Every structure is written in structure tokens, then in C-alpha cells.
Amino acid sequence: MRTGERAPRGRVAIVFGVVALALAVAAPLALGRGSAGSAVTNYVSYVGGKAGKANPSLAPVVIGAINTQGGQVLIGPGWTAGVQTAAQYVNNYLGGVQGHRLVVSTCFTRSAEEEGTRCGQRFANDKRVKVVLQGAVAVGNQSIYAALGGKKPVVGGVMLLPVDAQQKNAFALFGTNDSVLGPWGTLGKTYLKAKTAAVVYPQIPGIDYGAKIEKASLDAAGIKTTLVGFDANATDLTGPLTAAGAQNADMIVPQSNAAGCVNIAKALEQLGKSSTPVVSNPLCLTPDVAAGLGGDLPKWIYGIASTLAFDKTDAGAAPFVKALTQLKQPKLAADAWVIVAWGQVLTTVKLMNQIGVNKLTSANFTTKIRGFKGPQALGAPSLQCGKYPAEPAACNDQAQFFQYLGKGQFKRITGFLRPPSGFKLGG
């Protein structure tokens, strides 16, 4: 799930969801036990609001929202639509924030670090903005924090870069890219009963670090792991897979962008390893991968730190799909960045309601979110911000895993898992 501060050659479109799954999410979803048994199913109750519309005559509550989009780096452009639709839902159905309309003020970075300074200064100087939400930001991150100067809390979903994870005033409600890779070792040991693993990755800044985290997790689980990188422009990956021992490994772990996912899948077919469990992060869950493989995704196991809207066993999925349907935007449910954005907004509103509009300050919000233990709407059943000293922003270190069956059908094979005992973030 990890990406670098700069994209590899060509336009990068990494969307944490499969557009083709829109039909699947439109189907009826079971309302049984959620993936962790504590799914959030009632948004009015969750946010502590009042059913109905916000009062337009009251002064609005304004939150900042920063995403990377409009340029060559497109990690999660759907996040912005997620925040905007979530705010619309809050105002139309959850009574706003104690009756006040929730207004989203957006700012985007595209390709230059100084764009982060512009966004950071804008929100630092806007007295109405007490909280800043962060999406799939991969450009200008350092400058954003420098401009904010630690004075306003930053609420993230899955935060992408090391500088994000190291912020003491940032809160990644769905985890950092590193923290949510920790459960790979637990899956390998407890579910796959693996003794050996092969991890392969393109040598792209950020993605390579995520591969090292996966190896650290697998090592902590007692799984002998070989880590092999390959040139980001390479197309024949039989060599790297062979060097990693994929031909004999009990599990294979691709930590890659979409192009690498396609080439890894093709190479595994050539090696005759299509039946060996392959455990991927959501970077391989893209339409580009399906197109590169003739129209469908690899039948791998995929880990993710949020609800999947098409998971019929997750009670938390149905109200999310219903909410977007009420807003006439059901297809957005297929994009996991939208799921993350809704989780960020709902929890932000929940905490604002607890504080009260008259007492809403950046300092009070920071105190409140630092003590938030979950469950997280559309996310993990429990949170612990600051658990890892190396990454204080990481509030979650859990992921759940799905087996892809083909033709848009997924089967959840685990609930939310934590890293194995002995795992230390950063290896």
C-alpha cells in the first residue's frame, strides 16, 4: 500500500477499489455479524447527532481537506468526492455538527513541494478551520506540516509517507502504510501455515520500504522470507521471482504498483505457481491490473485496512452503500478511498459533537482524538494512536483479508488481524 513521494514514469492511477465492482455493491448486503463483530451500522448514533437536516441559519463548521490530484501523481483522487459526499450526508441526514452545517474547504497538491506550503498556510491562517483532513497526499507532505506548525490536528485515513507517520499531531485512523502491512505475518502463520515466503517489489521509493515492512512482519512470525527487488521498468519478472524462491515458497507477496502486479501475475503463470497463495495489498486492486490480464484480477488474497463495500458478511457495509444510494452516488462505494474518507468525516463529526461547537478548538480536538479507541466507522474495531513510538500517527495496525474468486466476487477469509508478536514497526 505504500507509495513514494514521486511517481514512476507515466501517469499513475492507483485507486483502492475496482470500478467493475459497482454492480456488486449495488446488490443486497447481508446484515449479519460484521467482520470484527463490532461494525458501525447506525451513523446517527455513531456521531451522536440528530436525524434530519442541519440548520442553514447557523454559522457553518469548516474543516480543511487536502488531497493530491490534478497532476501526474494520482494515488486516490476519489478521496475528495468521498469527503464531499460524506459532508453532504452529515448535513442532510445526521443534523450537521450540533445543528451547524459541515463545510469542506479543499486544497490540492499536484507536483511540487511548495504546493504543500500553500495548502498548509491557507489552513493555518483560516481561524474557522480547527481540523485538517488529509487524503492520499504524496506531494508536499513535509511542507504541509511545516506550514501548520503543529498548531492544528491532521486527521488522515491511510497516511502514505514516513513524514506523515512521524507527526505527533497527525492521526491516521486507518493506519499508516507501514502499520497496516504488519498483519501479513499473522496471516501467513495462522491462516496459510507458511514456513517460507517470497517478497518481490519494484525499486520505487516508498514501495521498497513497504516490502521491507512486510519482510519484518513475516520474519517476526517465524516465516523464512527472501526479499528481492526488480527494476521498475522490467517486464519479465521470472528472474526476480526465482531469485526470491517463489518456485518453492509457501506464500508469495507482491509489493508493487499496478504495472508490476500484471507482470508478476504473468510470471507466476509461466512458473506454474498459480496455485501458490499470493497475498497482495490493494495496489493490485485496480482496473488497470484487470485490463492487463485480459479483463479480470488475479485470484490472489488481498489485505485491506477498511471495510469493503461488496463484503456481504460485513454489517458495516450495508449502511454505507445505502447512504451513497440516498445521495445518488452508489458507484462511489467501489472506491476504498471513498470508504476511508467517510470514516474520517464521520469520526471527525463524532468528536466535534462530543466537544461541542462552542468549545471546539484545535487543542480540544487533538486531546479528544488522541484518546479515541474506536470502533472506527468503516474501519478497525479498535484503535490505539501512538502505539508505535517510531510512527506516533499510526492509530491502526489491523487489516483483514479477502480471497478473490473472480468476476468481481470476494470471500472474506479473516477478520481484522494484528501484527505478530515481536513485530517492530520499521523492522
Side-chain angles (χ1 to χ4, degrees), residues 1-14 73 75 138 160-162 177-178 181 200-214 227-234 237 254-261 263-264 281 283:
M1 296 168 54
R2 191 163 183 92
T3 56
E5 293 194 26
R6 292 291 183 269
R9 293 187 183 93
R11 187 176 180 83
V12 178
I14 301 175
V73 181
I75 309 300
L160 300 179
L161 303 181
N177 273 337
D178 302 339
L181 292 175
V200 293
Y201 65 95
Q203 293 167 330
I204 297 172
I207 288 181
D208 55 0
Y209 186 68
K212 294 175 183 177
I213 294 295
E214 287 171 328
L227 181 68
V228 174
F230 57 85
D231 187 281
N233 297 312
L237 301 183
Q255 169 71 5
S256 182
N257 59 355
C261 297
N263 293 325
I264 290 169
N281 62 51
L283 289 180

Side-chain angles (χ1 to χ4, degrees), residues 238 241 262-275 293 298-300:
T238 54
L241 282 164
V262 170
N263 293 325
I264 290 169
K266 291 179 177 179
L268 288 174
E269 288 287 348
Q270 293 176 15
L271 291 172
K273 298 299 293 178
S274 59
S275 62
L293 295 174
K299 294 179 180 179
W300 295 347

Side-chain angles (χ1 to χ4, degrees), residues 235-326:
T235 56
D236 183 356
L237 301 183
T238 54
L241 282 164
T242 300
Q247 64 274 27
N248 298 313
D250 296 326
M251 63 183 292
I252 299 167
V253 179
Q255 169 71 5
S256 182
N257 59 355
C261 297
V262 170
N263 293 325
I264 290 169
K266 291 179 177 179
L268 288 174
E269 288 287 348
Q270 293 176 15
L271 291 172
K273 298 299 293 178
S274 59
S275 62
T276 301
V278 180
V279 186
S280 171
N281 62 51
L283 289 180
C284 292
L285 281 177
T286 74
D288 289 343
V289 174
L293 295 174
D296 205 356
L297 296 167
K299 294 179 180 179
W300 295 347
I301 295 170
Y302 297 89
I304 193 165
S306 71
T307 291
L308 288 185
F310 45 84
D311 177 14
K312 296 180 181 181
T313 69
D314 188 344
F320 172 65
V321 175
K322 179 181 178 180
L324 281 172
T325 301
Q326 288 175 294

Side-chain angles (χ1 to χ4, degrees), residues 153-414:
V154 177
V155 179
V158 176
M159 302 185 89
L160 300 179
L161 303 181
V163 66
D164 301 316
Q166 294 161 7
Q167 300 301 311
K168 295 181 180 180
N169 207 36
F171 304 89
L173 295 176
F174 290 78
T176 65
N177 273 337
D178 302 339
S179 70
V180 296
L181 292 175
W184 261 242
T186 304
L187 177 83
K189 179 180 181 179
T190 62
Y191 181 82
L192 301 178
K193 310 298 183 184
K195 302 295 184 183
T196 59
V199 180
V200 293
Y201 65 95
Q203 293 167 330
I204 297 172
I207 288 181
D208 55 0
Y209 186 68
K212 294 175 183 177
I213 294 295
E214 287 171 328
K215 183 180 187 303
S217 172
L218 293 162
D219 286 343
I223 300 171
K224 185 177 180 180
T225 304
T226 304
L227 181 68
V228 174
F230 57 85
D231 187 281
N233 297 312
T235 56
D236 183 356
L237 301 183
T238 54
L241 282 164
T242 300
Q247 64 274 27
N248 298 313
D250 296 326
M251 63 183 292
I252 299 167
V253 179
Q255 169 71 5
S256 182
N257 59 355
C261 297
V262 170
N263 293 325
I264 290 169
K266 291 179 177 179
L268 288 174
E269 288 287 348
Q270 293 176 15
L271 291 172
K273 298 299 293 178
S274 59
S275 62
T276 301
V278 180
V279 186
S280 171
N281 62 51
L283 289 180
C284 292
L285 281 177
T286 74
D288 289 343
V289 174
L293 295 174
D296 205 356
L297 296 167
K299 294 179 180 179
W300 295 347
I301 295 170
Y302 297 89
I304 193 165
S306 71
T307 291
L308 288 185
F310 45 84
D311 177 14
K312 296 180 181 181
T313 69
D314 188 344
F320 172 65
V321 175
K322 179 181 178 180
L324 281 172
T325 301
Q326 288 175 294
L327 298 176
K328 303 186 187 307
Q329 296 283 356
K331 290 185 178 181
L332 289 179
D335 186 339
W337 277 109
V338 174
I339 295 173
V340 166
W342 271 65
Q344 290 172 260
V345 171
L346 290 174
T347 296
T348 297
V349 172
K350 175 186 181 74
L351 301 179
M352 286 180 167
N353 278 334
Q354 290 177 357
I355 296 167
V357 172
N358 293 335
K359 296 182 179 179
L360 182 57
T361 65
S362 294
N364 286 344
F365 187 91
T366 299
T367 299
K368 184 65 71 172
I369 194 171
R370 185 165 281 132
F372 178 55
K373 303 298 183 183
Q376 168 61 47
L378 298 166
S382 61
L383 302 182
Q384 185 178 345
C385 300
K387 177 178 180 179
Y388 295 98
E391 294 198 356
C395 295
N396 175 50
D397 61 356
Q398 302 171 75
Q400 57 180 338
F401 294 85
F402 295 81
Q403 174 70 60
Y404 184 60
L405 304 176
K407 298 182 180 180
Q409 299 299 312
F410 286 77
K411 177 183 178 181
R412 184 166 55 82
I413 60 175
T414 76

